[in-house]
Amino acid sequence: MAGETQADGGRHPLFMPAILLGGVVFGFGLGLSQMYRPEVVLRFLQLSDMGLLLVMGGASVVAGTAFALLSRTGRTAPLTGTQFGKRVKSMDRNVVLGGGIFGVGWGISGICPGAAYASLGVGNVAILYALLGMFAGAYLQGFVRSTDDTAATSTEEPA
Amino acid sequence: MLAETLLPNGWLHYLLGGLLIGTGTVVIYATTGITAGASTFLESTLSYVSKQSRFQQFRFTSTRDWRVVFTLGIVLGGAIYGLAFGEFGWTTEVQWWRLLFGGVLVGVGTRLGKGCTSGHGVCGVGSLSETSLLNVATFVGIAVGTAQVVMALGVTP
């Protein structure tokens, strides 16, 4: 798995700065694209402004191009030694069930995790309600699934 | 004009913002090989305070420190944007109960479904992953339907 804590505590000294820089650019983009405003996301979901398609389309084309080109080189990432690969998640019914529950929540609130972090940065303190809810929801599913795990071992792949 | 009907508030800031979101993802990927998503932070951070076995998995405990840094970077990026463009301190008018209860469902759904708008929507769609394409089609479709119902019920904003 990429980016895990090494047994000797040794990570490349530029590892955390690279993560921070990526986060800053990512957050600035969420600001510029106005996705930090639930109102703008809700306008898309109400089908009155299709801007969100440009945001997600632009972001996934840039990311997808880099993933494809770097994966093809067969090389490893300079700061971790991790082999460049694509994002692979296993398919099961939770992918659809979770997507459906997320969809209801997104349709009610107009906010998703990354956009909520950026929104907090812009100074939108009301978004703390959404962040509180997200942590509560993540805890709730984790609590239920921890109980499940005592009966059946989790077979999920690393994130 | 069709463009003015579909994009009544312009298009350039949407496209440039999206390209930057993708660029931030690439900065992390090109240096570390990580395809980062934003919602894993919720569970990996809970591993600091909860002993539940779900959160204590190695994939959360071994990545929780950099996920905190990633999230702080996103907060900082939002702050820099707000200050640079005179939008700092903007506050949503969407009602608190929508944010709170919608947020709970976002927390459950993104973690059960293995990702959110960044992990599945940007990284997964960029990877042309069938799992992510199915997840994104599901949450966008359901969210459009939900938002239509909420609007029809007269809830604004």
Side-chain angles (χ1 to χ4, degrees):
Chain A
M1 173 175 21
E4 66 207 26
T5 311
Q6 301 299 314
D8 59 359
R11 272 196 184 123
H12 195 287
L14 291 177
F15 177 80
M16 286 299 187
I19 297 283
L20 184 68
L21 176 65
V24 168
V25 175
F26 191 95
F28 190 93
L30 283 164
L32 185 60
S33 64
Q34 301 291 298
M35 294 296 107
Y36 77 90
R37 299 185 187 228
E39 284 88 339
V40 176
V41 173
L42 289 171
R43 280 209 301 263
F44 165 74
L45 297 176
Q46 291 161 355
L47 305 177
S48 61
D49 183 338
M50 294 293 107
L52 186 143
L53 293 180
L54 290 177
V55 181
M56 206 184 276
S60 54
V61 165
V62 170
T65 303
F67 293 176
L69 291 177
L70 286 169
S71 296
R72 203 171 298 173
T73 63
R75 297 167 78 156
T76 58
L79 302 185
T80 57
T82 304
Q83 183 91 31
F84 284 121
K86 293 186 177 180
R87 180 186 162 91
V88 183
K89 293 273 176 176
S90 60
M91 180 84 84
D92 55 44
R93 66 193 177 97
N94 281 346
V95 170
V96 174
L97 183 62
I101 295 170
F102 172 32
V104 175
W106 202 34
I108 290 173
S109 65
I111 196 78
C112 57
Y117 312 153
S119 200
L120 185 65
V122 177
N124 177 19
V125 287
I127 214 68
L128 287 170
Y129 283 116
L131 284 167
L132 181 68
M134 288 177 200
F135 272 111
Y139 183 81
L140 189 66
Q141 66 83 38
F143 180 82
V144 171
R145 296 168 93 190
S146 293
T147 312
D148 289 351
D149 281 353
T150 54
T153 311
S154 173
T155 54
E156 280 189 70
E157 78 283 19
Chain B
M1 283 290 290
L2 184 63
E4 283 163 15
T5 308
L6 296 175
L7 294 160
N9 301 291
W11 58 274
L12 188 59
H13 64 289
Y14 289 130
L15 184 61
L16 291 178
L19 295 176
L20 281 173
I21 293 167
T23 303
T25 305
V26 173
V27 166
I28 292 172
Y29 180 75
T31 53
T32 68
I34 298 168
T35 56
S39 69
T40 308
F41 163 78
L42 299 171
E43 286 193 280
S44 65
T45 302
L46 283 169
S47 78
Y48 283 110
V49 294
S50 169
K51 290 188 164 41
Q52 295 291 335
S53 60
R54 165 75 191 177
F55 306 126
Q56 291 301 325
Q57 294 174 83
F58 183 69
R59 66 192 180 106
F60 293 138
T61 57
S62 65
T63 63
R64 60 190 183 184
D65 57 347
W66 71 255
R67 291 186 191 279
V68 170
V69 173
F70 178 47
T71 295
L72 288 176
I74 297 172
V75 173
L76 183 61
I80 293 170
Y81 168 79
L83 293 168
F85 285 77
E87 293 175 28
F88 190 82
W90 175 87
T91 306
T92 185
E93 290 181 358
V94 172
Q95 298 173 63
W96 69 269
W97 63 267
R98 294 183 67 173
L99 299 173
L100 183 63
F101 293 113
V104 171
L105 295 175
V106 170
V108 172
T110 55
R111 297 322 307 150
L112 191 60
K114 306 175 193 181
C116 63
T117 353
S118 54
H120 279 310
V122 176
C123 295
V125 170
S127 300
L128 298 177
S129 152
E130 285 177 17
T131 300
S132 292
L133 291 168
L134 178 65
N135 180 271
V136 172
T138 304
F139 77 65
V140 171
I142 298 280
V144 167
T146 302
Q148 299 288 335
V149 169
V150 172
M151 187 168 59
L153 291 173
V155 180
T156 55

